[in-house]
Amino acid sequence: MEAVQAIRGMNDILPEQVGWWQGIESAAREVLENFGYREIRTPVAEKLELFSRGIGQSTDIVEKEMYAFEDRNGDWLALRPEATASIVRSYVQHGLHAESGCRKLYQIGPMFRHERPQKGRYRQFHQIDAEVFGLDGPMIDAEMMHMLSLLVERMGISGVGLHINTLGCPTCRQGYREVLKSFLAERAEGFCEDCLRRRDTNPLRVFDCKVKSCAELLESAPQLIDYICDDCRAHFGAVRQFLDKLGTRYAVNPRIVRGLDYYMRTTFEVITDRLGSQNAIGGGGRYDGLVRDLGGPAVPAVGFAMGMERLVLLLEQEKEKPSRYPRCFIASLGEQARVSGFLLSQQFRARGLETEMDYNGRSLKSQMRRADKSGARYVLILGEEELARREIQLRDMVTKTQRIVPLENIFETLLAVDSEK
Ligand code: AMP
């Protein structure tokens, strides 16, 4: 019978790879919690309307990439393509704004977009997402980017750059959109079809276009930063000053417009040149209007998301695969010894020692082969004779030495031997 395969673009993370993921997750939790973020876990499916209202109708995500479906009750649902809209929904629904002036939240989990799968781009992918509600000043924008740089460093990833930009506010951006539209109209024949469509729906998105000729034409385009209002300019200037004070390196990049409608003022991306065209490993920005647009109070907010698959790809290029070994392997000879070994392994595990054993009663030789392959530092060998004498053989797999020790207090003996190393 033919075996069923996973869905295209949705990958298994196998035990051999999971060490990368656990390392990334624990670094993220540690750094985020140190900065005062608390974890939130929202459902993977939401009402479709949340994303069409929250992300914007004319974005690629909502137009082309959403896993939207009608459920058995006839309700339109979608698998979440990103985390911000869901977190805002939860924040408003549970009145989290009422509790304190500033709220820092994070979420780690799978997202779903129906994109064309390739290296670094999948249909189910995972993000680390962080959001701050209730602060509108530039200090938190700078702190968030500083934290992002620290996070990447803590994960052991080098050679990435922080690119920052400002999108102005809806008022000053409106003026720029018109200027940009005229620029695009004047050179219409040079742009790809997608860009021409974006000219009418979401002109800033042309800066996201990957077509080389479009990018070249855009080099002479008017820049948003020259059209923003005084308040937005002061905000951006202060963000940069704080970044300088924090010693966080960055480049101002007018092409960082981000794909989603809700961003305003500060936007940023963490970019690498080692993953081909999938060069963004994380990005975010300020979205002061979204909480209100989703039915909540007028609370300013800023956030970012990092793609975990791309972090893993970078780590694989740089570091040796993290592996996990049991500390101890229990081998046994004879039925009675096997049962004693079984009970002993449960005690060791309950006391916090990673322990593996042989369940099958195979030959000692094959058990030793398995112990060696498992990477265990110590092997305890329990035979019927040793058992009768209340003794056990303790083998150190690194020094290749073996000795007989009393079975009584074997756990303490093992810990004592281990602590001498
Ligand atoms: P975005 O919200 O689109 O800026 O995504 C934030 C981060 O998530 C990106 O910088 C990527 O690292 C990651 N990401 C977005 N889409 C995908 C995808 N389809 N596959 C893998 N990673 C993705």
Side-chain angles (χ1 to χ4, degrees):
M1 227 197 309
E2 203 176 316
V4 180
Q5 304 282 310
I7 298 167
R8 187 166 125 83
M10 302 202 182
N11 301 313
D12 298 310
I13 300 166
L14 298 176
E16 291 69 36
Q17 300 152 339
V18 91
W20 297 118
W21 292 80
Q22 291 175 337
I24 290 171
E25 273 173 30
S26 63
R29 286 182 201 284
E30 186 193 322
V31 172
L32 285 159
E33 304 233 350
N34 281 346
F35 277 81
Y37 291 74
R38 295 294 172 256
E39 187 173 6
I40 182 167
R41 301 185 187 194
T42 63
V44 290
E46 297 272 0
K47 291 185 181 155
L48 175 62
E49 177 199 353
L50 175 69
F51 302 116
S52 38
R53 270 171 66 185
I55 299 175
Q57 276 296 354
S58 61
T59 56
D60 280 357
I61 293 184
V62 171
E63 267 184 355
K64 301 191 253 181
E65 297 166 2
M66 198 113 78
Y67 274 93
F69 58 96
E70 206 177 348
D71 80 353
R72 288 170 193 272
N73 303 331
D75 295 326
W76 276 94
L77 309 182
L79 299 182
R80 62 182 181 197
E82 53 107 55
T84 306
S86 306
I87 295 179
V88 172
R89 190 233 357 104
S90 180
Y91 175 82
V92 172
Q93 182 173 339
H94 300 287
L96 301 185
H97 45 87
E99 282 173 33
S100 81
C102 154
R103 194 90 196 210
K104 295 174 169 175
L105 302 171
Y106 77 93
Q107 166 140 251
I108 300 178
M111 307 293 151
F112 304 84
R113 293 184 197 171
H114 199 276
E115 297 192 86
R116 197 167 53 78
Q118 53 182 280
K119 189 176 173 199
R121 196 203 278 174
Y122 310 98
R123 289 180 173 171
Q124 175 175 320
F125 59 99
H126 298 75
Q127 284 185 339
I128 299 162
D129 185 275
E131 317 285 346
V132 179
F133 296 98
L135 297 175
D136 60 5
M139 189 178 263
I140 192 69
D141 302 20
E143 181 187 276
M144 182 169 267
M145 291 185 265
H146 167 65
M147 179 178 76
L148 196 51
S149 306
L150 200 74
L151 195 56
V152 171
E153 196 185 300
R154 186 67 55 89
M155 289 172 187
I157 292 168
S158 57
V160 296
L162 172 65
H163 290 221
I164 74 168
N165 189 23
T166 177
L167 293 182
C169 56
T171 319
C172 57
R173 191 157 67 211
Q174 192 53 37
Y176 172 72
R177 280 163 84 109
E178 296 310 316
V179 176
L180 183 62
K181 272 184 175 174
S182 327
F183 172 86
L184 295 170
E186 279 162 25
R187 292 161 184 74
E189 65 286 356
F191 283 99
C192 72
E193 251 174 54
D194 267 350
C195 280
L196 293 180
R197 203 170 39 82
R198 288 174 185 137
R199 181 186 66 197
D200 302 318
T201 54
N202 197 348
L204 259 73
R205 284 299 313 276
V206 297
F207 288 102
D208 268 347
C209 184
K210 298 277 188 288
V211 179
K212 209 166 159 231
S213 50
C214 296
E216 280 165 11
L217 274 177
L218 284 168
E219 268 167 29
S220 59
Q223 296 203 348
L224 174 54
I225 199 151
D226 298 323
Y227 292 83
I228 58 175
C229 63
D230 290 345
D231 284 351
C232 289
R233 188 175 306 283
H235 186 97
F236 192 51
V239 169
R240 295 182 57 178
Q241 273 178 8
F242 282 124
L243 284 175
D244 293 337
K245 282 197 169 73
L246 290 165
T248 302
R249 291 161 62 94
Y250 63 90
V252 176
N253 180 346
R255 294 178 58 94
I256 304 294
V257 292
R258 313 281 299 139
L260 316 182
D261 278 0
Y262 53 59
Y263 286 114
M264 58 172 284
R265 291 200 168 157
T266 316
T267 52
F268 51 91
E269 276 185 8
V270 176
I271 291 176
T272 171
D273 54 13
R274 285 187 281 139
L275 290 180
S277 57
Q278 307 311 315
N279 65 350
I281 60 172
R286 179 163 279 286
Y287 54 95
D288 290 352
L290 184 64
V291 182
R292 203 189 40 226
D293 288 351
L294 288 177
V299 174
V302 53
F304 75 79
M306 284 179 106
M308 296 173 74
E309 280 77 3
R310 295 184 194 174
L311 294 171
V312 171
L313 285 170
L314 285 177
L315 283 173
E316 278 174 345
Q317 291 179 5
E318 272 184 37
K319 291 172 80 175
E320 220 167 277
K321 195 190 286 177
S323 18
R324 197 179 172 99
Y325 307 115
R327 204 70 188 134
C328 174
F329 189 97
I330 300 183
S332 56
L333 268 180
E335 185 51 22
Q336 225 188 330
R338 191 164 69 108
V339 175
S340 298
F342 175 63
L343 297 177
L344 204 56
S345 11
Q346 313 313 327
Q347 285 170 20
F348 279 20
R349 291 164 180 164
R351 296 177 77 173
L353 191 73
E354 226 178 298
T355 306
E356 201 34 281
M357 65 166 284
D358 178 69
Y359 293 90
N360 290 325
R362 275 183 290 221
S363 73
L364 186 60
K365 202 168 154 200
S366 88
Q367 290 188 52
M368 290 309 285
R369 243 196 328 265
R370 246 200 86 203
D372 194 33
K373 219 169 148 198
S374 78
R377 171 78 201 239
Y378 303 102
V379 184
L380 290 175
I381 307 160
L382 195 56
E384 304 284 320
E385 274 175 36
E386 281 98 348
L387 197 59
R389 290 200 301 271
R390 308 291 303 152
E391 285 172 349
I392 195 163
Q393 306 243 19
L394 167 57
R395 184 173 173 79
D396 184 326
M397 298 296 275
V398 173
T399 59
K400 305 222 182 307
T401 51
Q402 192 161 320
R403 59 179 147 143
I404 295 177
V405 294
L407 189 52
E408 182 131 25
N409 295 330
I410 179 63
F411 184 76
E412 284 75 15
T413 309
L414 194 61
L415 288 194
V417 170
D418 195 35
S419 67
E420 285 164 17
K421 300 291 171 238

